[in-house]
Amino acid sequence: MVKKTQVDDIERGIYDTISNVEVRRKLDRGLTKDIVREISEIKEEPLWMRELRERAVDVFYELENPVWGPDLSEVDLDNIATYVSPNADREDNWDYVPEEIKTMFDKLGIPEAEKKSLLSGVGAQFDSEVVYHNVQKELTDQGVIFLDFDTALKEHEQLVKKYFQKSIPVGLHKYSALHYAVWSGGTFVYVPKGVHVEVPLQTYYRLNAPGAGQFEHTMIIVDEGASCRFIEGCSAPKYNVLNIHAGAVELFVEEGAHLNFTSIENWSRNMYNLNTKRAVIAKNGHMEWVGGSFGSKVSMLYPGSVLNGEGAISDNVTLNFAGSGQIIESGVQIIHNAPNTFSNIDSRSISKSGGISVFRSMVRFNKNATGSKSSASCESLMLDNESRADTIPVIISHCPDAEAGHEASIGRIDEEVVDYMMSRGLGEVEAKAMIVRGFADPISRELPLEYAVEMNNLINLELEGTVG
C-alpha cells in the first residue's frame, strides 16, 4: 500500500498545474542494482559509469539518515519511481518540443525575457530527461561546451570522467549515494581559459510525475581566468504522495576564474528537497552562490565551498521562505584549505503560519589557512507567533590566526509600521508584503531582472490571504 503524504498547502495556482504529457518509460519503484543497470542501459553508458551506479546502491543502504536535522523517516524509496521519461526527444529547436510541454513552461509564468533566453540558448528538463537544449553559436566558436549531461558523457567522456564525483564523493551522505545510483539528465558546462561568457547560461527543471524523483547532475568547469554565470530554476506541482529531489551540482573554479551560480527552487509541499551542491575553488578563484528556496515539505540544502588555493573567495547570498507545514533548512559548508582565503555569508529567512526556518553552517579552517577570514550575517523575519527560526553555526579552527565572525538577528514585523502604512491607504496584506519584499531586497538585487520579478511574485503568492 502506498504511503500518503498529507499536503498542507496554500493554493499555488499556476505552479501546481499538472501536465498530461505522455510517459514513454517509467521504471519500477525502489532502488535495486537491476534498476540502475536498466537506467545505464537506456542511456548506453560506459562500463565505468554503470559500475559506479552499482557501487552507489551499496553505499546508500550502508549509510543512515542524518540524525541532526529534519526527520527523513518518511522518505521511502520503495514508493518512489527513480526514472520517468516523457514521450519526447531532446530538441535543439523550441518549436519542435511537444506542445503540452511547451504549454507547461508557459503556464509556469516564465517571464518573457526568460523565454527569449530559452529560445537562444538554455536547457529544459522534464522529469528524468532533458527535452530541449541549445547553445548560441558565439559560445561554441569560443570553445564553450554547454550540453545536457547525458550528451556530454557521450561526446566528452574523458573530461566528464576526470571531474565526475571529484567535488561530491559518492559517500558524502546517504542522498549523494542515491543521486549517483540513479542520476539522469542535468547540465554540463566547460568554459575554456580566458573566455568570459557575457550572457547567463540557464536551465529549468520541472518534476511533473507523482511519486517520483528528479536526480539531475550539473557540472560546471570554469578554466583559468575565465568567467561564467549559470542560473537554474526548479518547480513541481502538488500531489498527495511523496516526491524527492536529490540532484547534485559539482562546480570547479580554476585559478583566477569567476563563477556565479544562481538557483531559485520552487518545489511543492509534498517534496523532500535533498539536493547537494559543492564547489572547489583554486588560487584567486571567486565563487558566488545566490539562492532562493520556496515550497517543499522539507529542504536540506547546504552549498559547500572548498577553498583550495591561496586567495580563493566564496560569497553566499540566500533567501528562504518557510510556511505552514514546512521545514526549510539551509546554510553553507565552507572549508578554508589554503592561506588568505575568504568567505562571506548573507542569509535571510522568512517564516509564517508555523513554518520552521533553520540556518545551519559549518566553517572550517584547516591548519594551512593562515590569514584566512570568514564573516556571516543571518537575519530571520517571523510573521506570527506560531513560526520558528533557528541559527546553528559551527566554526572549527585548526589555524591560530584565522578569523571568523558570525552575527544573527531574529525579529517580527513592526506593527506600528504596518499601522502607519495602512493609514496611508494600503491594506494589511499589501503593507506586510512591502515590508517582506524590503527585507528580501538585498537578495533580489543579486538576481537578474526576470528572476527578481519571479521571486517577488513567489513572495506575494506565499503571503496572499495568509497574513493578518
Side-chain angles (χ1 to χ4, degrees), residues 280-321:
V280 178
I281 303 112
K283 182 178 179 181
N284 294 325
H286 186 187
M287 178 69 218
E288 291 184 274
W289 297 95
V290 180
S293 182
F294 298 79
S296 78
K297 181 176 183 179
V298 172
S299 278
M300 298 179 72
L301 182 58
Y302 322 100
S305 295
V306 183
L307 302 167
N308 273 346
E310 183 171 4
I313 299 171
S314 175
D315 288 319
N316 300 68
V317 179
T318 60
L319 173 71
N320 302 299
F321 202 125

Short mmCIF file of all heavy atoms in Angstrom, two decimals, residues 280-321:
data_model
loop_
_atom_site.label_atom_id
_atom_site.label_comp_id
_atom_site.label_asym_id
_atom_site.label_seq_id
_atom_site.Cartn_x
_atom_site.Cartn_y
_atom_site.Cartn_z
N VAL A 280 34.72 23.58 -5.80
CA VAL A 280 36.14 23.51 -5.47
C VAL A 280 36.80 24.70 -6.15
O VAL A 280 36.72 24.85 -7.37
CB VAL A 280 36.76 22.19 -5.95
CG1 VAL A 280 38.26 22.17 -5.65
CG2 VAL A 280 36.07 21.00 -5.30
N ILE A 281 37.45 25.57 -5.35
CA ILE A 281 37.95 26.84 -5.86
C ILE A 281 39.48 26.88 -5.75
O ILE A 281 40.03 26.66 -4.67
CB ILE A 281 37.33 28.03 -5.09
CG1 ILE A 281 35.79 27.96 -5.18
CG2 ILE A 281 37.80 29.35 -5.65
CD1 ILE A 281 35.13 27.66 -3.87
N ALA A 282 40.12 27.17 -6.85
CA ALA A 282 41.58 27.21 -6.91
C ALA A 282 42.10 28.62 -6.58
O ALA A 282 41.34 29.53 -6.23
CB ALA A 282 42.05 26.77 -8.29
N LYS A 283 43.39 28.81 -6.72
CA LYS A 283 44.07 30.06 -6.36
C LYS A 283 43.40 31.27 -7.02
O LYS A 283 43.19 31.29 -8.24
CB LYS A 283 45.54 29.98 -6.77
CG LYS A 283 46.36 31.21 -6.42
CD LYS A 283 47.81 31.03 -6.84
CE LYS A 283 48.64 32.25 -6.50
NZ LYS A 283 50.06 32.09 -6.92
N ASN A 284 43.08 32.26 -6.20
CA ASN A 284 42.47 33.52 -6.65
C ASN A 284 41.15 33.32 -7.40
O ASN A 284 40.69 34.22 -8.11
CB ASN A 284 43.45 34.31 -7.53
CG ASN A 284 44.65 34.79 -6.75
OD1 ASN A 284 44.55 35.12 -5.57
ND2 ASN A 284 45.81 34.80 -7.40
N GLY A 285 40.54 32.17 -7.24
CA GLY A 285 39.23 31.94 -7.83
C GLY A 285 38.15 32.57 -6.98
O GLY A 285 38.31 32.77 -5.77
N HIS A 286 37.02 32.87 -7.61
CA HIS A 286 35.92 33.54 -6.91
C HIS A 286 34.62 32.81 -7.22
O HIS A 286 34.21 32.71 -8.36
CB HIS A 286 35.83 35.00 -7.35
CG HIS A 286 34.82 35.80 -6.57
ND1 HIS A 286 34.48 37.09 -6.90
CD2 HIS A 286 34.07 35.49 -5.46
CE1 HIS A 286 33.58 37.54 -6.05
NE2 HIS A 286 33.30 36.60 -5.18
N MET A 287 33.99 32.27 -6.18
CA MET A 287 32.72 31.55 -6.29
C MET A 287 31.63 32.36 -5.63
O MET A 287 31.74 32.76 -4.47
CB MET A 287 32.85 30.18 -5.61
CG MET A 287 31.56 29.36 -5.64
SD MET A 287 31.16 28.80 -7.28
CE MET A 287 29.36 28.96 -7.26
N GLU A 288 30.55 32.62 -6.38
CA GLU A 288 29.38 33.31 -5.84
C GLU A 288 28.17 32.38 -5.88
O GLU A 288 27.80 31.88 -6.94
CB GLU A 288 29.06 34.57 -6.65
CG GLU A 288 30.08 35.68 -6.52
CD GLU A 288 29.63 36.92 -7.29
OE1 GLU A 288 29.92 36.99 -8.49
OE2 GLU A 288 28.98 37.79 -6.68
N TRP A 289 27.55 32.17 -4.72
CA TRP A 289 26.31 31.42 -4.63
C TRP A 289 25.16 32.40 -4.36
O TRP A 289 25.23 33.18 -3.42
CB TRP A 289 26.35 30.43 -3.46
CG TRP A 289 27.38 29.35 -3.50
CD1 TRP A 289 28.62 29.36 -2.92
CD2 TRP A 289 27.25 28.06 -4.12
NE1 TRP A 289 29.26 28.17 -3.14
CE2 TRP A 289 28.44 27.35 -3.86
CE3 TRP A 289 26.22 27.44 -4.84
CZ2 TRP A 289 28.64 26.05 -4.32
CZ3 TRP A 289 26.42 26.15 -5.30
CH2 TRP A 289 27.62 25.47 -5.04
N VAL A 290 24.12 32.34 -5.17
CA VAL A 290 22.92 33.13 -4.94
C VAL A 290 21.74 32.16 -4.99
O VAL A 290 21.56 31.45 -5.98
CB VAL A 290 22.73 34.24 -5.99
CG1 VAL A 290 21.46 35.04 -5.71
CG2 VAL A 290 23.95 35.17 -6.02
N GLY A 291 20.93 32.12 -3.92
CA GLY A 291 19.87 31.12 -3.88
C GLY A 291 18.60 31.62 -3.24
O GLY A 291 18.63 32.41 -2.30
N GLY A 292 17.48 31.13 -3.75
CA GLY A 292 16.18 31.37 -3.14
C GLY A 292 15.42 30.07 -3.06
O GLY A 292 15.33 29.34 -4.05
N SER A 293 14.90 29.74 -1.88
CA SER A 293 14.22 28.46 -1.68
C SER A 293 12.79 28.69 -1.20
O SER A 293 12.56 29.30 -0.15
CB SER A 293 14.98 27.61 -0.65
OG SER A 293 14.36 26.35 -0.48
N PHE A 294 11.82 28.22 -2.01
CA PHE A 294 10.40 28.32 -1.69
C PHE A 294 9.80 26.91 -1.82
O PHE A 294 10.32 26.06 -2.52
CB PHE A 294 9.68 29.25 -2.66
CG PHE A 294 10.17 30.67 -2.63
CD1 PHE A 294 11.33 31.04 -3.27
CD2 PHE A 294 9.46 31.63 -1.94
CE1 PHE A 294 11.79 32.34 -3.24
CE2 PHE A 294 9.91 32.95 -1.90
CZ PHE A 294 11.08 33.30 -2.55
N GLY A 295 8.66 26.71 -1.18
CA GLY A 295 8.00 25.42 -1.33
C GLY A 295 8.77 24.30 -0.66
O GLY A 295 9.66 24.53 0.16
N SER A 296 8.42 23.07 -0.97
CA SER A 296 8.93 21.82 -0.42
C SER A 296 8.44 21.58 1.00
O SER A 296 8.27 22.52 1.79
CB SER A 296 10.44 21.70 -0.51
OG SER A 296 11.09 22.44 0.48
N LYS A 297 8.21 20.34 1.32
CA LYS A 297 7.84 19.97 2.69
C LYS A 297 9.05 20.07 3.60
O LYS A 297 9.00 20.63 4.70
CB LYS A 297 7.26 18.56 2.72
CG LYS A 297 6.83 18.11 4.12
CD LYS A 297 6.18 16.75 4.09
CE LYS A 297 5.70 16.36 5.49
NZ LYS A 297 5.02 15.05 5.50
N VAL A 298 10.16 19.51 3.10
CA VAL A 298 11.44 19.55 3.83
C VAL A 298 12.53 19.88 2.84
O VAL A 298 12.59 19.30 1.75
CB VAL A 298 11.74 18.20 4.51
CG1 VAL A 298 13.16 18.21 5.08
CG2 VAL A 298 10.73 17.91 5.61
N SER A 299 13.38 20.83 3.18
CA SER A 299 14.59 21.11 2.40
C SER A 299 15.79 20.98 3.30
O SER A 299 15.79 21.47 4.43
CB SER A 299 14.55 22.52 1.80
OG SER A 299 13.81 22.58 0.62
N MET A 300 16.81 20.32 2.80
CA MET A 300 18.12 20.27 3.45
C MET A 300 19.14 20.62 2.38
O MET A 300 19.46 19.81 1.53
CB MET A 300 18.39 18.89 4.05
CG MET A 300 17.40 18.49 5.14
SD MET A 300 17.72 16.84 5.82
CE MET A 300 19.22 17.15 6.77
N LEU A 301 19.60 21.86 2.40
CA LEU A 301 20.43 22.35 1.31
C LEU A 301 21.53 23.24 1.87
O LEU A 301 21.26 24.32 2.39
CB LEU A 301 19.56 23.14 0.32
CG LEU A 301 20.24 23.70 -0.92
CD1 LEU A 301 20.91 22.60 -1.73
CD2 LEU A 301 19.24 24.46 -1.77
N TYR A 302 22.77 22.77 1.75
CA TYR A 302 23.91 23.48 2.33
C TYR A 302 25.04 23.58 1.29
O TYR A 302 25.98 22.77 1.31
CB TYR A 302 24.42 22.76 3.58
CG TYR A 302 23.33 22.15 4.44
CD1 TYR A 302 23.02 20.79 4.35
CD2 TYR A 302 22.59 22.95 5.31
CE1 TYR A 302 22.01 20.24 5.13
CE2 TYR A 302 21.57 22.40 6.09
CZ TYR A 302 21.29 21.04 5.99
OH TYR A 302 20.29 20.49 6.75
N PRO A 303 24.95 24.53 0.34
CA PRO A 303 26.01 24.64 -0.66
C PRO A 303 27.39 24.72 -0.03
O PRO A 303 27.60 25.47 0.93
CB PRO A 303 25.64 25.92 -1.41
CG PRO A 303 24.16 26.06 -1.20
CD PRO A 303 23.90 25.54 0.18
N GLY A 304 28.31 23.96 -0.57
CA GLY A 304 29.65 23.88 0.01
C GLY A 304 30.70 24.52 -0.88
O GLY A 304 30.60 24.47 -2.11
N SER A 305 31.70 25.11 -0.27
CA SER A 305 32.85 25.67 -0.98
C SER A 305 34.12 25.16 -0.34
O SER A 305 34.31 25.28 0.88
CB SER A 305 32.83 27.20 -0.92
OG SER A 305 31.73 27.74 -1.62
N VAL A 306 34.98 24.58 -1.15
CA VAL A 306 36.29 24.12 -0.70
C VAL A 306 37.33 25.06 -1.29
O VAL A 306 37.58 25.05 -2.50
CB VAL A 306 36.56 22.66 -1.13
CG1 VAL A 306 37.90 22.19 -0.57
CG2 VAL A 306 35.43 21.74 -0.68
N LEU A 307 37.89 25.92 -0.44
CA LEU A 307 38.83 26.94 -0.88
C LEU A 307 40.24 26.35 -0.86
O LEU A 307 40.94 26.39 0.15
CB LEU A 307 38.72 28.16 0.03
CG LEU A 307 37.31 28.79 0.09
CD1 LEU A 307 37.20 29.78 1.24
CD2 LEU A 307 36.96 29.45 -1.22
N ASN A 308 40.64 25.80 -2.02
CA ASN A 308 41.89 25.04 -2.09
C ASN A 308 43.10 25.86 -2.48
O ASN A 308 44.23 25.38 -2.34
CB ASN A 308 41.74 23.89 -3.10
CG ASN A 308 41.17 22.64 -2.48
OD1 ASN A 308 41.12 22.52 -1.25
ND2 ASN A 308 40.73 21.70 -3.30
N GLY A 309 42.89 27.08 -3.00
CA GLY A 309 44.02 27.88 -3.47
C GLY A 309 44.13 29.19 -2.74
O GLY A 309 43.13 29.78 -2.29
N GLU A 310 45.35 29.68 -2.57
CA GLU A 310 45.55 30.94 -1.88
C GLU A 310 44.76 32.06 -2.56
O GLU A 310 44.73 32.16 -3.79
CB GLU A 310 47.04 31.31 -1.86
CG GLU A 310 47.33 32.58 -1.07
CD GLU A 310 48.81 32.82 -0.86
OE1 GLU A 310 49.63 32.05 -1.38
OE2 GLU A 310 49.14 33.80 -0.15
N GLY A 311 44.10 32.89 -1.75
CA GLY A 311 43.34 34.00 -2.29
C GLY A 311 41.96 33.63 -2.80
O GLY A 311 41.25 34.48 -3.34
N ALA A 312 41.55 32.37 -2.64
CA ALA A 312 40.22 31.96 -3.11
C ALA A 312 39.13 32.60 -2.25
O ALA A 312 39.30 32.81 -1.05
CB ALA A 312 40.11 30.44 -3.07
N ILE A 313 37.99 32.89 -2.90
CA ILE A 313 36.89 33.58 -2.23
C ILE A 313 35.58 32.84 -2.49
O ILE A 313 35.33 32.37 -3.60
CB ILE A 313 36.74 35.03 -2.76
CG1 ILE A 313 38.01 35.84 -2.49
CG2 ILE A 313 35.54 35.73 -2.14
CD1 ILE A 313 38.01 37.20 -3.17
N SER A 314 34.74 32.78 -1.45
CA SER A 314 33.38 32.25 -1.60
C SER A 314 32.40 33.25 -0.99
O SER A 314 32.52 33.62 0.17
CB SER A 314 33.23 30.89 -0.91
OG SER A 314 31.88 30.45 -0.96
N ASP A 315 31.43 33.69 -1.81
CA ASP A 315 30.35 34.56 -1.34
C ASP A 315 29.04 33.79 -1.42
O ASP A 315 28.73 33.19 -2.46
CB ASP A 315 30.24 35.82 -2.20
CG ASP A 315 31.40 36.79 -1.97
OD1 ASP A 315 31.79 36.95 -0.80
OD2 ASP A 315 31.90 37.36 -2.95
N ASN A 316 28.27 33.81 -0.33
CA ASN A 316 27.00 33.08 -0.28
C ASN A 316 25.88 34.03 0.10
O ASN A 316 25.92 34.64 1.18
CB ASN A 316 27.07 31.95 0.76
CG ASN A 316 28.14 30.93 0.45
OD1 ASN A 316 29.32 31.22 0.53
ND2 ASN A 316 27.72 29.74 0.09
N VAL A 317 24.87 34.16 -0.76
CA VAL A 317 23.73 35.02 -0.51
C VAL A 317 22.46 34.19 -0.72
O VAL A 317 22.24 33.66 -1.81
CB VAL A 317 23.72 36.23 -1.47
CG1 VAL A 317 22.51 37.12 -1.21
CG2 VAL A 317 25.01 37.03 -1.34
N THR A 318 21.62 34.04 0.33
CA THR A 318 20.46 33.16 0.23
C THR A 318 19.24 33.76 0.90
O THR A 318 19.34 34.53 1.85
CB THR A 318 20.74 31.79 0.88
OG1 THR A 318 21.07 31.98 2.26
CG2 THR A 318 21.88 31.06 0.19
N LEU A 319 18.07 33.36 0.37
CA LEU A 319 16.79 33.72 0.97
C LEU A 319 15.91 32.48 1.02
O LEU A 319 15.79 31.75 0.03
CB LEU A 319 16.08 34.80 0.14
CG LEU A 319 14.65 35.14 0.58
CD1 LEU A 319 14.67 35.90 1.90
CD2 LEU A 319 13.93 35.95 -0.49
N ASN A 320 15.29 32.24 2.18
CA ASN A 320 14.40 31.08 2.34
C ASN A 320 13.07 31.52 2.90
O ASN A 320 13.01 32.46 3.71
CB ASN A 320 15.03 30.04 3.27
CG ASN A 320 16.38 29.58 2.76
OD1 ASN A 320 16.49 29.03 1.68
ND2 ASN A 320 17.42 29.84 3.53
N PHE A 321 12.00 30.83 2.49
CA PHE A 321 10.65 31.17 2.93
C PHE A 321 9.98 29.89 3.40
O PHE A 321 9.77 28.96 2.61
CB PHE A 321 9.86 31.78 1.77
CG PHE A 321 8.70 32.63 2.20
CD1 PHE A 321 8.58 33.93 1.79
CD2 PHE A 321 7.72 32.12 3.05
CE1 PHE A 321 7.50 34.73 2.18
CE2 PHE A 321 6.65 32.89 3.45
CZ PHE A 321 6.54 34.20 3.01
#
